Coordinates of all heavy atoms in Angstrom, one line a residue:
M1 N 104.1 36.0 147.0 CA 105.5 35.6 147.3 C 106.3 36.9 147.6 O 106.2 37.9 146.9 CB 106.2 35.0 146.1 CG 107.7 34.8 146.3 SD 108.6 34.3 144.9 CE 108.2 32.6 144.8
N2 N 106.9 36.9 148.8 CA 107.7 38.1 149.2 C 109.2 37.8 148.7 O 109.9 37.0 149.3 CB 107.7 38.3 150.7 CG 108.4 39.4 151.2 OD1 109.4 39.9 150.5 ND2 108.0 40.0 152.3
I3 N 109.6 38.5 147.7 CA 110.9 38.3 147.1 C 112.0 38.5 148.0 O 113.0 37.8 148.0 CB 111.0 39.1 145.7 CG1 112.2 38.6 144.9 CG2 111.2 40.6 146.0 CD1 112.0 37.3 144.2
Q4 N 111.9 39.5 148.8 CA 113.0 39.8 149.8 C 113.1 38.7 150.8 O 114.2 38.3 151.2 CB 112.7 41.2 150.5 CG 112.8 42.4 149.6 CD 114.1 42.5 148.8 OE1 115.1 42.2 149.3 NE2 114.0 42.9 147.6
L5 N 112.0 38.2 151.3 CA 112.0 37.1 152.2 C 112.6 35.8 151.6 O 113.4 35.1 152.2 CB 110.6 36.8 152.7 CG 110.5 35.7 153.8 CD1 111.4 36.0 155.0 CD2 109.1 35.4 154.2
E6 N 112.3 35.6 150.3 CA 112.8 34.4 149.6 C 114.4 34.6 149.4 O 115.1 33.6 149.6 CB 112.2 34.3 148.2 CG 110.7 34.0 148.2 CD 110.5 32.5 148.6 OE1 111.4 31.7 148.3 OE2 109.4 32.3 149.2
K7 N 114.8 35.8 149.1 CA 116.3 36.0 149.0 C 117.0 35.7 150.3 O 118.0 35.1 150.4 CB 116.6 37.4 148.6 CG 116.2 37.8 147.2 CD 116.6 39.2 146.9 CE 116.2 39.7 145.6 NZ 116.6 41.1 145.4
L8 N 116.4 36.2 151.4 CA 117.0 36.0 152.7 C 117.1 34.5 153.1 O 118.1 34.0 153.6 CB 116.2 36.8 153.8 CG 116.4 38.3 153.8 CD1 115.4 38.9 154.8 CD2 117.8 38.7 154.1
E9 N 116.0 33.8 152.8 CA 116.0 32.3 153.0 C 117.1 31.6 152.2 O 117.7 30.7 152.7 CB 114.6 31.8 152.7 CG 113.6 32.2 153.8 CD 112.2 31.7 153.5 OE1 112.0 30.8 152.6 OE2 111.2 32.1 154.1
L10 N 117.2 32.0 150.9 CA 118.2 31.4 150.1 C 119.6 31.7 150.6 O 120.5 30.9 150.6 CB 118.1 31.9 148.6 CG 117.0 31.3 147.9 CD1 116.8 32.0 146.5 CD2 117.2 29.8 147.7
M11 N 119.8 33.0 151.0 CA 121.1 33.4 151.6 C 121.5 32.5 152.8 O 122.6 32.1 153.0 CB 121.2 34.9 151.9 CG 121.4 35.7 150.6 SD 121.7 37.4 151.0 CE 120.0 38.0 151.3
K12 N 120.4 32.3 153.7 CA 120.6 31.5 154.9 C 121.0 30.1 154.5 O 122.0 29.5 155.0 CB 119.4 31.5 155.7 CG 119.5 30.8 157.0 CD 118.2 30.9 157.8 CE 118.3 30.2 159.1 NZ 118.5 28.8 159.1
L13 N 120.3 29.5 153.6 CA 120.6 28.2 153.1 C 122.0 28.1 152.5 O 122.8 27.1 152.8 CB 119.6 27.7 152.1 CG 118.2 27.4 152.6 CD1 117.2 27.2 151.4 CD2 118.2 26.2 153.6
L14 N 122.4 29.0 151.7 CA 123.7 29.1 151.1 C 124.8 29.2 152.2 O 125.8 28.5 152.1 CB 123.8 30.2 150.1 CG 125.1 30.3 149.3 CD1 125.4 29.1 148.6 CD2 125.0 31.5 148.4
S15 N 124.6 30.1 153.1 CA 125.6 30.3 154.1 C 125.8 29.0 155.0 O 126.9 28.8 155.6 CB 125.3 31.5 155.0 OG 124.2 31.3 155.8
E16 N 124.8 28.2 155.1 CA 124.8 27.0 156.0 C 125.4 25.8 155.3 O 125.7 24.8 156.0 CB 123.4 26.7 156.6 CG 123.0 27.8 157.6 CD 121.5 27.6 158.0 OE1 120.8 26.7 157.4 OE2 121.1 28.3 158.9
T17 N 125.5 25.8 154.0 CA 125.9 24.6 153.3 C 127.4 24.6 153.1 O 128.1 25.6 153.0 CB 125.2 24.5 151.9 OG1 125.5 23.2 151.4 CG2 125.7 25.5 150.9
N18 N 127.9 23.3 153.1 CA 129.3 23.1 152.8 C 129.4 22.2 151.6 O 130.5 21.8 151.2 CB 130.0 22.4 154.0 CG 130.2 23.4 155.2 OD1 130.5 24.5 155.0 ND2 130.0 22.9 156.4
D19 N 128.3 22.1 150.9 CA 128.3 21.2 149.7 C 128.8 22.1 148.5 O 128.1 23.0 148.0 CB 126.9 20.7 149.4 CG 126.8 19.7 148.3 OD1 127.6 19.8 147.4 OD2 125.8 19.0 148.3
E20 N 130.0 21.8 148.0 CA 130.6 22.5 146.9 C 129.8 22.4 145.6 O 129.7 23.4 144.8 CB 132.0 22.1 146.7 CG 132.9 22.5 147.8 CD 134.4 22.1 147.5 OE1 134.7 22.1 146.3 OE2 135.1 21.9 148.5
S21 N 129.1 21.3 145.4 CA 128.3 21.1 144.2 C 127.1 22.1 144.1 O 126.8 22.6 143.1 CB 127.8 19.7 144.0 OG 126.9 19.3 145.0
I22 N 126.5 22.4 145.3 CA 125.4 23.4 145.4 C 126.0 24.7 145.0 O 125.4 25.5 144.2 CB 124.8 23.3 146.7 CG1 124.0 22.0 146.9 CG2 123.8 24.5 146.9 CD1 123.4 21.8 148.3
I23 N 127.1 25.1 145.6 CA 127.7 26.4 145.4 C 128.1 26.6 143.9 O 127.8 27.6 143.3 CB 128.9 26.7 146.3 CG1 128.4 26.7 147.7 CG2 129.6 27.9 145.9 CD1 129.5 26.7 148.8
T24 N 128.7 25.5 143.3 CA 129.0 25.5 141.9 C 127.8 25.7 141.0 O 127.8 26.4 140.1 CB 129.8 24.2 141.6 OG1 131.0 24.1 142.4 CG2 130.2 24.2 140.1
S25 N 126.8 25.0 141.4 CA 125.5 25.0 140.6 C 124.9 26.4 140.6 O 124.5 27.0 139.6 CB 124.5 24.0 141.1 OG 124.9 22.7 140.9
I26 N 124.9 27.0 141.8 CA 124.4 28.4 141.9 C 125.2 29.4 141.1 O 124.7 30.3 140.4 CB 124.3 28.8 143.4 CG1 123.2 28.0 144.0 CG2 124.0 30.3 143.5 CD1 123.1 28.1 145.5
K27 N 126.5 29.2 141.2 CA 127.4 30.1 140.4 C 127.1 30.0 138.9 O 127.1 31.0 138.2 CB 128.9 29.8 140.6 CG 129.4 30.4 141.9 CD 130.9 30.0 142.0 CE 131.7 31.0 142.7 NZ 133.1 30.6 142.9
K28 N 126.9 28.7 138.4 CA 126.6 28.5 137.0 C 125.4 29.2 136.6 O 125.3 29.7 135.5 CB 126.5 27.0 136.7 CG 127.9 26.3 136.7 CD 127.7 24.8 136.3 CE 129.0 24.1 136.4 NZ 128.9 22.7 136.1
I29 N 124.4 29.2 137.5 CA 123.1 29.9 137.1 C 123.3 31.4 136.9 O 122.8 32.0 135.9 CB 122.1 29.7 138.3 CG1 121.6 28.2 138.3 CG2 120.9 30.6 138.1 CD1 120.8 27.9 139.5
F30 N 124.2 32.0 137.7 CA 124.4 33.4 137.6 C 125.4 33.8 136.5 O 125.4 34.9 136.1 CB 124.8 34.0 139.0 CG 123.7 34.2 140.0 CD1 123.5 33.3 141.0 CD2 122.8 35.2 139.8 CE1 122.5 33.4 141.9 CE2 121.8 35.4 140.7 CZ 121.6 34.5 141.7
T31 N 126.2 32.9 136.1 CA 127.2 33.2 135.1 C 126.8 32.7 133.7 O 127.6 32.9 132.8 CB 128.6 32.7 135.5 OG1 128.6 31.3 135.7 CG2 129.1 33.4 136.8
A32 N 125.7 32.0 133.7 CA 125.3 31.4 132.4 C 125.1 32.5 131.3 O 124.6 33.6 131.6 CB 124.0 30.6 132.6
K33 N 125.5 32.2 130.1 CA 125.3 33.2 129.0 C 123.8 33.4 128.8 O 123.1 32.4 128.7 CB 126.0 32.6 127.8 CG 125.8 33.5 126.6 CD 126.4 32.9 125.3 CE 126.1 33.8 124.1 NZ 126.3 33.2 122.9
K34 N 123.5 34.6 128.7 CA 122.1 34.9 128.4 C 121.8 34.6 126.9 O 122.7 34.8 126.0 CB 121.8 36.4 128.6 CG 122.1 36.9 130.0 CD 121.1 36.4 131.0 CE 121.3 37.0 132.3 NZ 121.5 36.1 133.4
K35 N 120.7 34.1 126.6 CA 120.4 33.7 125.2 C 120.2 35.0 124.4 O 119.6 36.0 124.7 CB 119.1 32.9 125.1 CG 119.2 31.5 125.5 CD 118.0 30.7 125.2 CE 118.3 29.2 125.5 NZ 117.1 28.4 125.1
D36 N 120.8 35.0 123.2 CA 120.8 36.1 122.3 C 119.8 35.6 121.1 O 120.0 34.5 120.6 CB 122.2 36.4 121.7 CG 122.2 37.6 120.8 OD1 121.2 38.0 120.3 OD2 123.3 38.1 120.7
F37 N 118.9 36.5 120.8 CA 117.9 36.1 119.7 C 118.6 35.7 118.5 O 118.2 34.8 117.7 CB 116.9 37.2 119.5 CG 117.4 38.3 118.5 CD1 117.1 38.2 117.2 CD2 118.2 39.3 119.0 CE1 117.6 39.1 116.3 CE2 118.6 40.3 118.1 CZ 118.3 40.2 116.8
W38 N 119.8 36.3 118.2 CA 120.5 36.1 117.0 C 120.9 34.6 116.9 O 120.9 34.0 115.8 CB 121.8 36.9 116.9 CG 122.6 36.8 115.6 CD1 123.7 36.1 115.4 CD2 122.2 37.4 114.4 NE1 124.1 36.3 114.1 CE2 123.2 37.1 113.5 CE3 121.2 38.3 114.0 CZ2 123.2 37.5 112.2 CZ3 121.2 38.7 112.6 CH2 122.2 38.3 111.8
D39 N 121.3 34.0 118.0 CA 121.7 32.6 118.0 C 120.6 31.7 117.8 O 120.8 30.5 117.4 CB 122.4 32.3 119.4 CG 123.6 33.1 119.6 OD1 124.3 33.4 118.7 OD2 123.9 33.3 120.8
E40 N 119.4 32.2 118.0 CA 118.2 31.4 117.8 C 117.7 31.4 116.3 O 116.9 30.5 115.9 CB 117.0 31.9 118.6 CG 117.3 31.9 120.1 CD 117.5 30.5 120.7 OE1 116.7 29.6 120.4 OE2 118.4 30.3 121.5
L41 N 118.2 32.3 115.5 CA 117.9 32.4 114.1 C 118.6 31.4 113.3 O 119.7 31.0 113.6 CB 118.2 33.8 113.6 CG 117.4 35.0 114.2 CD1 118.0 36.3 113.6 CD2 116.0 34.9 113.9
S42 N 117.9 30.9 112.2 CA 118.6 30.0 111.3 C 119.7 30.7 110.6 O 119.7 32.0 110.5 CB 117.6 29.4 110.3 OG 117.2 30.4 109.4
E43 N 120.6 30.0 110.0 CA 121.7 30.6 109.2 C 121.1 31.4 108.0 O 121.6 32.5 107.7 CB 122.7 29.5 108.7 CG 123.9 30.1 108.1 CD 124.9 29.0 107.7 OE1 124.9 27.9 108.2 OE2 125.8 29.3 106.8
E44 N 120.1 30.8 107.4 CA 119.5 31.5 106.3 C 118.9 32.9 106.7 O 119.1 33.9 106.0 CB 118.3 30.6 105.7 CG 117.6 31.3 104.6 CD 116.4 30.4 104.1 OE1 116.1 29.4 104.7 OE2 115.9 30.8 103.0
R45 N 118.2 33.0 107.8 CA 117.7 34.2 108.3 C 118.8 35.2 108.7 O 118.7 36.4 108.4 CB 116.7 34.0 109.4 CG 115.4 33.3 109.0 CD 114.4 33.4 110.1 NE 113.3 32.6 109.8 CZ 112.2 33.1 109.2 NH1 112.1 34.4 109.0 NH2 111.1 32.3 109.0
Q46 N 119.9 34.7 109.3 CA 121.0 35.6 109.6 C 121.6 36.2 108.3 O 121.9 37.3 108.3 CB 122.1 34.8 110.4 CG 121.7 34.4 111.8 CD 122.7 33.6 112.5 OE1 123.8 33.3 111.9 NE2 122.5 33.3 113.7
N47 N 121.7 35.3 107.3 CA 122.3 35.8 106.0 C 121.4 36.9 105.4 O 121.9 37.9 104.8 CB 122.5 34.6 105.0 CG 123.6 33.7 105.4 OD1 124.5 34.1 106.2 ND2 123.5 32.5 105.0
I48 N 120.1 36.7 105.4 CA 119.1 37.7 104.9 C 119.3 39.0 105.6 O 119.3 40.1 105.0 CB 117.7 37.1 105.0 CG1 117.5 36.0 104.0 CG2 116.7 38.3 104.7 CD1 116.2 35.2 104.2
I49 N 119.4 38.9 106.9 CA 119.5 40.2 107.7 C 120.8 40.9 107.4 O 120.9 42.1 107.2 CB 119.4 39.9 109.2 CG1 117.9 39.5 109.5 CG2 119.8 41.1 110.0 CD1 117.7 38.9 110.9
N50 N 121.9 40.1 107.3 CA 123.2 40.6 107.0 C 123.2 41.3 105.6 O 123.8 42.4 105.4 CB 124.3 39.6 107.1 CG 124.6 39.3 108.5 OD1 124.6 40.1 109.4 ND2 125.1 38.0 108.8
E51 N 122.6 40.6 104.6 CA 122.5 41.2 103.3 C 121.7 42.5 103.3 O 122.1 43.5 102.7 CB 121.8 40.2 102.3 CG 122.7 39.0 102.0 CD 122.0 38.0 101.2 OE1 120.9 38.3 100.6 OE2 122.5 36.8 101.1
S52 N 120.6 42.5 104.1 CA 119.8 43.8 104.2 C 120.6 44.9 104.8 O 120.5 46.0 104.3 CB 118.6 43.5 105.0 OG 117.8 42.5 104.4
L53 N 121.4 44.6 105.8 CA 122.2 45.6 106.4 C 123.3 46.2 105.5 O 123.5 47.4 105.4 CB 122.9 45.1 107.7 CG 122.0 44.8 108.9 CD1 122.7 44.1 110.0 CD2 121.4 46.1 109.4
E54 N 123.9 45.3 104.7 CA 124.9 45.7 103.7 C 124.2 46.6 102.7 O 124.8 47.6 102.3 CB 125.5 44.5 103.0 CG 126.4 43.7 103.9 CD 126.9 42.4 103.2 OE1 126.8 42.3 102.0 OE2 127.5 41.6 103.9
Q55 N 123.0 46.3 102.2 CA 122.3 47.1 101.3 C 122.0 48.5 101.9 O 122.2 49.5 101.2 CB 121.0 46.5 100.8 CG 121.2 45.3 99.9 CD 119.9 44.5 99.6 OE1 118.9 44.7 100.3 NE2 119.9 43.7 98.6
Y56 N 121.6 48.5 103.1 CA 121.3 49.8 103.8 C 122.6 50.6 103.9 O 122.5 51.8 103.6 CB 120.7 49.5 105.2 CG 120.5 50.7 106.0 CD1 119.4 51.5 105.8 CD2 121.4 51.1 107.0 CE1 119.2 52.7 106.5 CE2 121.2 52.3 107.7 CZ 120.1 53.1 107.4 OH 119.9 54.2 108.1
E57 N 123.7 50.0 104.3 CA 124.9 50.8 104.4 C 125.4 51.3 103.1 O 126.1 52.4 103.0 CB 126.0 49.9 105.0 CG 125.8 49.6 106.5 CD 126.7 48.5 107.1 OE1 127.5 47.9 106.3 OE2 126.6 48.3 108.3
K58 N 125.0 50.7 102.0 CA 125.4 51.2 100.6 C 124.4 52.2 100.1 O 124.5 52.7 99.0 CB 125.4 50.0 99.6 CG 126.5 49.0 99.9 CD 126.4 47.9 98.9 CE 127.4 46.8 99.2 NZ 127.2 45.6 98.3
G59 N 123.3 52.5 100.9 CA 122.3 53.4 100.5 C 121.3 52.8 99.6 O 120.5 53.6 98.9
E60 N 121.2 51.5 99.5 CA 120.3 50.9 98.6 C 119.0 50.6 99.4 O 118.7 49.5 99.7 CB 120.9 49.6 98.1 CG 122.2 49.8 97.3 CD 122.9 48.5 97.0 OE1 122.4 47.4 97.4 OE2 123.9 48.5 96.3
F61 N 118.2 51.7 99.6 CA 116.9 51.5 100.3 C 116.0 52.7 99.9 O 116.5 53.6 99.3 CB 117.1 51.5 101.8 CG 117.7 52.7 102.4 CD1 116.9 53.8 102.8 CD2 119.1 52.9 102.5 CE1 117.4 54.9 103.3 CE2 119.7 54.1 103.0 CZ 118.8 55.1 103.4
S62 N 114.8 52.5 100.2 CA 113.8 53.6 100.0 C 113.1 53.9 101.3 O 113.0 53.1 102.2 CB 112.7 53.1 99.0 OG 113.2 52.7 97.8
S63 N 112.6 55.2 101.4 CA 111.9 55.6 102.6 C 110.6 54.9 102.6 O 110.1 54.4 101.6 CB 111.7 57.1 102.6 OG 110.8 57.4 101.5
F64 N 110.0 54.8 103.7 CA 108.7 54.2 103.9 C 107.6 54.9 103.0 O 106.8 54.3 102.4 CB 108.2 54.1 105.3 CG 106.9 53.6 105.5 CD1 106.7 52.2 105.5 CD2 105.8 54.4 105.8 CE1 105.4 51.6 105.6 CE2 104.5 53.8 106.0 CZ 104.3 52.5 105.9
E65 N 107.7 56.2 103.0 CA 106.7 57.0 102.3 C 106.8 56.7 100.8 O 105.8 56.5 100.1 CB 106.9 58.5 102.5 CG 106.5 59.0 103.9 CD 107.6 58.7 105.0 OE1 108.8 58.4 104.6 OE2 107.3 58.7 106.1
K66 N 108.0 56.6 100.3 CA 108.2 56.3 98.9 C 107.8 54.9 98.5 O 107.2 54.7 97.5 CB 109.7 56.5 98.5 CG 110.0 56.5 97.1 CD 111.5 56.8 96.8 CE 111.9 56.8 95.4 NZ 113.3 57.1 95.1
F67 N 108.0 54.0 99.4 CA 107.6 52.6 99.2 C 106.0 52.5 99.2 O 105.5 51.8 98.4 CB 108.2 51.7 100.3 CG 107.6 50.3 100.3 CD1 108.1 49.4 99.4 CD2 106.7 49.9 101.2 CE1 107.6 48.1 99.4 CE2 106.2 48.6 101.2 CZ 106.6 47.7 100.3
I68 N 105.4 53.1 100.2 CA 104.0 52.9 100.4 C 103.1 53.7 99.4 O 102.0 53.3 99.1 CB 103.6 53.2 101.9 CG1 102.3 52.5 102.2 CG2 103.5 54.6 102.1 CD1 102.4 51.0 102.3
K69 N 103.6 54.8 98.9 CA 102.8 55.7 98.0 C 102.2 55.0 96.8 O 101.0 55.2 96.6 CB 103.7 56.9 97.5 CG 102.9 57.9 96.9 CD 103.8 59.1 96.5 CE 103.0 60.2 95.9 NZ 103.8 61.4 95.6
P70 N 102.8 54.1 96.1 CA 102.2 53.5 95.0 C 101.1 52.5 95.4 O 100.3 52.1 94.6 CB 103.3 52.7 94.3 CG 104.6 53.3 94.8 CD 104.3 53.9 96.1
H71 N 101.1 52.1 96.7 CA 100.2 51.1 97.1 C 98.9 51.7 97.7 O 98.1 51.0 98.2 CB 100.9 50.2 98.2 CG 102.1 49.5 97.6 ND1 102.0 48.4 96.8 CD2 103.4 49.7 97.8 CE1 103.2 48.0 96.4 NE2 104.1 48.8 97.1
L72 N 98.9 53.0 97.8 CA 97.7 53.7 98.3 C 96.6 54.0 97.3 O 96.8 54.2 96.2 CB 98.1 54.9 99.1 CG 99.0 54.7 100.3 CD1 99.3 56.1 100.9 CD2 98.3 53.9 101.3

């Protein structure tokens, strides 16, 4: 597939149409909100992440080296 050729063909079709519903549909495609992974998470997982961030901001964390040392 030649992407540049496909774009040109679409532009030609778009310029030749007078169908407002087609133009509206194409606009919706380009202005649609991109999915954010955060919105895909359950409320429970969002809460866990938020709690972890709060703990980090308070300095309530350990370095990886300190965490892993007893397990070696």
Side-chain angles (χ1 to χ4, degrees):
M1 171 190 286
N2 181 333
I3 193 75
Q4 295 304 323
L5 182 58
E6 293 289 330
K7 287 180 184 181
L8 290 172
E9 289 178 11
L10 285 171
M11 285 189 279
K12 181 178 183 296
L13 289 171
L14 182 59
S15 69
E16 292 174 350
T17 189
N18 289 320
D19 188 335
E20 290 184 28
S21 66
I22 291 174
I23 295 169
T24 300
S25 295
I26 292 171
K27 278 181 151 180
K28 284 181 183 177
I29 290 170
F30 283 104
T31 58
K33 179 184 173 195
K34 303 287 186 237
K35 283 190 175 182
D36 186 340
F37 83 95
W38 185 259
D39 297 331
E40 303 293 317
L41 296 176
S42 69
E43 186 176 342
E44 179 183 6
R45 290 189 186 264
Q46 289 178 359
N47 289 337
I48 290 170
I49 292 170
N50 284 330
E51 288 172 18
S52 298
L53 288 172
E54 287 174 15
Q55 289 173 341
Y56 175 79
E57 289 171 356
K58 293 176 186 174
E60 299 171 358
F61 63 90
S62 297
S63 68
F64 177 75
E65 290 80 16
K66 190 175 181 180
F67 171 80
I68 202 69
K69 190 175 183 178
H71 302 285
L72 295 177

